[in-house]
Amino acid sequence: MKGARRYWVLLLVLAFVQAAGVMPAAGHGAPFPRNPAAGRIIGIKLLDAPESRRADPRAHAYIVDHVAPGSTIERRVEVTNESSTPMHVNVYAAAATIANGKFTFAPERTPNELTGWTSLDTADLDLAASETARVRTVIRVPRDAAAGERYGVIWAQTGALTDRSHIMTMLGRVGVRMYIDVGPGGEPPSDFKIERLYPTRARDGRGEVRARIHNTGGRALDISGALSLFDGPVGLRAGPFSARKGTTLAPGDLAEAVVPLDARLPDGPWTVALTLKSGLVEHTTRATITFPTTPGSAGAVAASAAQQGHFPTPVVAGLSALVLAALCLPLSNVLRRRR
């Protein structure tokens, strides 16, 4: 009986070790730098998302929609005076483009086709300290509008401030992006491919993992994601490390996503798993890599395989525990027969 108890204890310990061994390492990811607008004195956020996009995180941050020519859509944004003094705020729509993997804001109040379709129920807000106001945005698409996606921004901008010398004018503005696709029928699909993954070493000596992404769908993408490293030297694991934010691709575009890593990581080899996503679209690729020793150079990639999906880590842990539990039954019967 004592032997059976020791056996069961050993199996439980093995099950725990197996489950713990596949859990992601915590606390090793490099923190993403603070938002440069953290010291801002005004804030803006989108309040509405289409019913069909309730599960899409992009639609809760940006005005993202597909509409037929002749359609009208409405959205509300909330503007907040985050300062301790009253403030005058201008609200307006301005143009934007996507180029070189970036969502690029046009200067000042530059118009485009989308801003010509966009109207606001107010252009000026006088907000007391910590006061919030809502602005209704209406986008009316003409019946003869050509098919395609347009980009813009709803901006909230503080009134002109001058420095003490009255030489420099300082403006602060925050905005909500607009991605409006026009066309008959259903929305074009969103998708991308991770075409290449390779390690590099930055000029400051930190390792980086870069992935070339191809937007193979019909809508713009905002790429985010994370990288985990395992099976490193002496069994080291690290991550997850967040991909650098700000990679946006128009349909058909190619761009790179970059994951900066901790400078203390050894060169490898490492097995890495990179998961990138935009909205509800997600892809994972795995590879075995070795970082270069020379800053500014690329390292080696021994293998790479893209995946459409993968078992979440807790599921793998659960399956491992079930396998071990299944082994317990026949071995337990053997012990009983011996007794």
Side-chain angles (χ1 to χ4, degrees):
M1 186 68 179
K2 290 183 180 179
R5 285 178 180 173
R6 285 197 298 268
Y7 176 75
W8 278 101
V9 169
L10 176 61
L11 283 175
L12 288 173
V13 170
L14 286 173
F16 174 79
V17 170
Q18 179 70 11
V22 296
M23 293 300 288
H28 297 293
F32 191 77
R34 290 185 63 194
N35 187 336
R40 68 195 178 194
I41 53 177
I42 53 172
I44 188 171
K45 68 177 180 179
L46 180 66
L47 296 178
D48 308 304
E51 198 63 43
S52 61
R53 297 179 184 274
R54 289 296 181 186
D56 185 349
R58 288 181 73 232
H60 292 270
Y62 310 135
I63 301 176
V64 182
D65 216 334
H66 168 77
V67 296
S71 300
T72 297
I73 61 174
E74 296 186 10
R75 298 286 186 274
R76 295 172 303 155
V77 297
E78 185 175 83
V79 181
T80 303
N81 176 5
E82 298 179 349
S83 74
S84 58
T85 58
M87 184 168 297
H88 181 79
V89 180
N90 302 122
V91 187
Y92 59 91
T97 58
I98 297 176
N100 301 317
K102 302 292 182 184
F103 191 94
T104 304
F105 311 126
E108 300 179 355
R109 299 183 181 230
T110 304
N112 65 3
E113 193 174 27
L114 176 56
T115 64
W117 304 342
T118 305
S119 60
L120 308 172
D121 66 352
T122 184
D124 297 280
L125 299 172
D126 289 297
L127 301 177
S130 304
E131 186 181 4
T132 293
R134 295 179 176 181
V135 178
R136 187 168 64 99
T137 300
V138 179
I139 302 173
R140 295 182 176 87
V141 182
R143 293 186 179 276
D144 60 351
E149 193 170 33
R150 280 83 167 174
Y151 313 111
V153 184
I154 303 298
W155 288 110
Q157 179 176 297
T158 61
L161 302 174
T162 58
D163 63 359
R164 293 180 179 178
S165 63
H166 300 281
I167 296 174
M168 182 183 297
T169 299
M170 296 173 288
L171 299 176
R173 66 177 186 173
V174 290
V176 172
R177 300 182 187 185
M178 296 188 288
Y179 299 78
I180 303 298
D181 184 68
V182 178
E187 178 177 357
S190 295
D191 205 359
F192 66 92
K193 289 182 179 179
I194 305 174
E195 295 191 338
R196 183 188 176 199
L197 183 150
Y198 62 99
T200 62
R201 192 162 295 282
R203 298 292 179 185
D204 63 2
R206 291 190 308 165
E208 295 180 336
V209 171
R210 294 175 175 266
R212 191 169 91 156
I213 313 162
H214 182 194
N215 184 347
T216 58
R219 297 298 309 268
L221 304 172
D222 294 296
I223 300 296
S224 62
L227 176 89
S228 292
L229 301 91
F230 46 96
D231 294 338
V234 297
L236 287 175
R237 304 172 70 195
F241 295 89
S242 296
R244 189 176 293 154
K245 295 184 179 180
T247 300
T248 300
L249 294 84
D253 278 0
L254 291 166
E256 278 192 345
V258 180
V259 183
L261 306 175
D262 195 309
R264 296 168 294 180
L265 286 176
D267 294 340
W270 296 89
T271 299
V272 298
L274 174 65
T275 298
L276 297 177
K277 59 185 177 180
S278 175
L280 301 177
V281 182
E282 178 178 308
H283 293 294
T284 297
T285 187
R286 296 174 181 268
T288 300
I289 64 172
T290 301
F291 292 98
T293 57
T294 305
S297 59
V301 180
S304 181
Q307 298 178 327
Q308 294 300 319
H310 56 281
F311 284 118
T313 298
V315 174
V316 176
L319 290 174
S320 301
L322 286 174
V323 170
L324 287 171
L327 291 173
C328 292
L329 295 176
L331 291 174
S332 177
N333 291 333
V334 171
L335 288 176
R336 288 197 189 96
R337 285 197 295 270
R338 287 182 178 178
R339 290 198 302 272

